[in-house]
Amino acid sequence: MAFGKEFVTYLKQPMLLFLTRFCRIILPVICFLFFYRHSCAQSPFPPPNKLNVYSAQELSFGSFYGGSSGGTVVVSPDGNRTTTGSITGVALSPGTPAIFDVRLIPGRIVHISFPSSAMLYKVGSGENMMITEFTTDKSGNYFVTTSAHPFINPVKIGATLNVGSVSSNPSGDYVGSFSVVFIQE
């Protein structure tokens, strides 16, 4: 019986040595390769085949004085603000264009459609101003997506704010919204 126990112990030692080496060296390598392959196979942001639009910045006409006869405040897609009539812009608050991030794979045609007008309403009362003449930085109101990963194509939008006299549009905060439609061809 003593011979049998030694023989079994003799067989166990190489097996334990093999398992120890396997667990220390080969098993971590296999786990690394498994997880490395898995993490490289999936992109965190796959190219979107469907159009995704995100608002990155709101349209703002900034601060201005209305004057006796009113006029217009124009914010261009590149962010320049001009005024007409008796409107005087405040330099410290120049206004900003709206910016939308269009996310879509490259090579797709996207058309942009604007409303004919939108209204701003004075907070706390019923006065209003009309926004007209929406414009974009994309010639012809369409573009072909070109961006690579993360597939974001910024679209800048400006407009014209029609301001009445001080009596019809008293100073204050005016708020509103407008809809822009992006159509993937």
Side-chain angles (χ1 to χ4, degrees):
M1 287 252 181
F3 177 80
K5 287 184 183 181
E6 290 176 359
F7 183 74
V8 171
T9 303
Y10 178 75
L11 289 177
K12 284 184 181 180
Q13 288 176 350
M15 182 62 84
L16 288 174
L17 183 63
F18 171 77
L19 288 175
T20 303
R21 286 184 182 164
F22 181 80
C23 290
R24 284 188 191 163
I25 299 170
I26 297 175
L27 187 60
V29 170
I30 291 172
C31 289
F32 172 77
L33 291 175
F34 175 77
F35 288 112
Y36 178 77
R37 179 182 157 160
H38 179 71
S39 66
C40 291
Q42 293 182 345
S43 171
F45 297 105
N49 287 324
K50 293 183 179 180
L51 182 71
N52 294 308
V53 180
Y54 304 95
S55 176
Q57 179 174 286
E58 294 181 352
L59 175 63
S60 171
F61 293 96
S63 296
F64 54 88
Y65 299 109
S68 59
S69 63
T72 62
V73 179
V74 179
V75 174
S76 69
D78 60 356
N80 294 321
R81 181 180 68 176
T82 58
T83 60
T84 65
S86 62
I87 306 293
T88 303
V90 176
L92 295 176
S93 178
T96 57
I99 300 176
F100 293 94
D101 288 336
V102 177
R103 190 165 178 257
L104 185 63
I105 58 175
R108 305 296 177 159
I109 298 173
V110 177
H111 296 273
I112 307 164
S113 177
F114 300 108
S116 58
S117 65
M119 297 299 287
L120 294 182
Y121 297 95
K122 185 173 187 237
V123 176
S125 65
E127 291 87 358
N128 60 56
M129 291 186 257
M130 184 178 291
I131 303 172
T132 58
E133 301 176 32
F134 290 93
T135 59
T136 181
D137 62 339
K138 307 301 182 195
S139 181
N141 292 339
Y142 76 93
F143 65 99
V144 178
T145 56
T146 59
S147 294
H149 185 72
F151 312 104
I152 295 175
N153 297 269
V155 175
K156 297 178 181 180
I157 296 172
T160 300
L161 178 64
N162 299 286
V163 182
S165 66
V166 173
S167 60
S168 62
N169 288 127
S171 64
D173 291 329
Y174 288 75
V175 296
S177 63
F178 64 95
S179 296
V180 179
V181 179
F182 294 89
I183 305 163
Q184 175 185 348
E185 189 173 298

